[in-house]
Amino acid sequence: MRILLTNDDGIHAPGLALLERIARALSDDVTVCAPAEEQSGAGHSLTLHMPVRLHSFGEKRYAVTGTPGDAVNLALRKLFPEGPPDLVLSGINNGENLADDVTYSGTISAAMESALAGIPSIALSQALRDRGHGFSAAEGWAEQVLRPLIDLAMPKRTLINVNFPALPAADVRGIRVARQGFHDYARGSVVESVDPRGRPYFWFGLDDIEHTLDHGTDLEAVSDGYVSVTPLQLDLTHHASIGLLADRFG
Ligand code: MN
């Protein structure tokens, strides 16, 4: 099995090094292609207004001067001349990607890019919160989450979103399949100040995000101490509203 690893925290992120160790337990053919710099919050963006460059960091390790989407796109076009990889793993993100984080997340978007190319794709993120357990849950649980998933024939244009709770591995209660939850909008804080040249600026924070722990959601699972596993689809159509809109133009 040939596995491509990527992330949005950049080629030097500790979460990517951890993912690399886990992937090498699953396969001896692992390629890493990740953004050169941190791209958290980049979403599913593609760099179109300037060139991107591919830098080699040893055997089958590459950094792309662009977004997670760029990294996957370039990897699939340039690093796999003999055919696409069998699996793409993105992460392990430094922080959770739950509920509405999905469309902001570079980690998940990288997996979306490979899902668009028809490759089984899994995004992995480690919730951190204030508690200092680091990547303990991911380290202890990633392999047993991944093993049943790697040969699973998921439908086309879907991907899997995995989140590890902010707990020591020994305290994690298990694995739960959950649907995507939702954040109550007001989204985070905005720091407002003045730069050294006297111009006002704004800086988005990610604290103070309220969310409802609806039953069966990824938010609830991780909050209850479980690893959440959520199937996602790239088709964002709200099918139940097709008729409502069609009536307006009928
Ligand atoms: Mn990130």
Side-chain angles (χ1 to χ4, degrees), residues 4 18 34 37 41 47 56 66 85 103 130 134-135 137 149 170 174 186 189 201 221 232:
L4 169 64
L18 172 58
E37 304 281 343
T47 300
S56 177
T103 54
D130 320 326
F135 284 78
L149 298 178
S189 59
Y201 69 82
L232 299 175

Side-chain angles (χ1 to χ4, degrees), residues 9 114 229 232 247:
D9 293 330
S114 45
V229 177
L232 299 175
D247 284 348

Side-chain angles (χ1 to χ4, degrees), residues 70-227:
D70 295 332
V72 171
N73 209 302
L74 201 58
L76 297 183
R77 287 167 193 248
K78 289 295 179 193
L79 303 180
F80 294 91
E82 70 282 27
D86 303 297
L87 177 69
V88 174
L89 301 176
S90 177
I92 297 171
N93 189 57
N94 184 38
E96 66 193 36
N97 276 307
L98 298 164
D100 298 315
D101 297 339
V102 164
T103 54
Y104 297 94
S105 166
T107 306
I108 295 176
S109 299
M112 286 179 172
E113 187 66 22
S114 45
L116 281 175
I119 302 162
S121 303
I122 304 172
L124 304 109
S125 304
Q126 169 68 63
L128 295 170
R129 309 281 179 200
D130 320 326
R131 290 167 281 179
H133 306 304
F135 284 78
S136 173
E139 187 144 29
W141 286 78
E143 199 179 327
Q144 51 186 308
V145 176
L146 287 174
R147 283 224 181 257
L149 298 178
I150 50 177
D151 62 345
L152 182 66
M154 289 281 290
K156 295 280 178 207
R157 303 172 74 84
T158 65
L159 59 146
I160 298 171
N161 183 26
V162 174
N163 279 268
F164 300 96
L167 293 171
D171 293 347
V172 174
R173 295 170 67 189
I175 301 164
R176 212 186 247 177
V177 175
R179 68 189 160 86
Q180 184 189 336
F182 56 93
H183 296 303
D184 302 327
Y185 209 84
R187 221 201 134 73
S189 59
V190 180
V191 169
E192 198 171 337
S193 194
V194 178
D195 76 11
R197 298 171 70 187
R199 299 170 304 188
Y201 69 82
F202 305 92
W203 201 330
F204 298 114
L206 290 173
D207 50 332
D208 304 330
I209 295 173
E210 299 289 322
H211 53 244
T212 304
L213 294 181
D214 223 21
H215 187 59
T217 63
D218 51 2
L219 287 166
E220 183 198 56
V222 168
S223 169
D224 286 352
Y226 289 84
V227 180

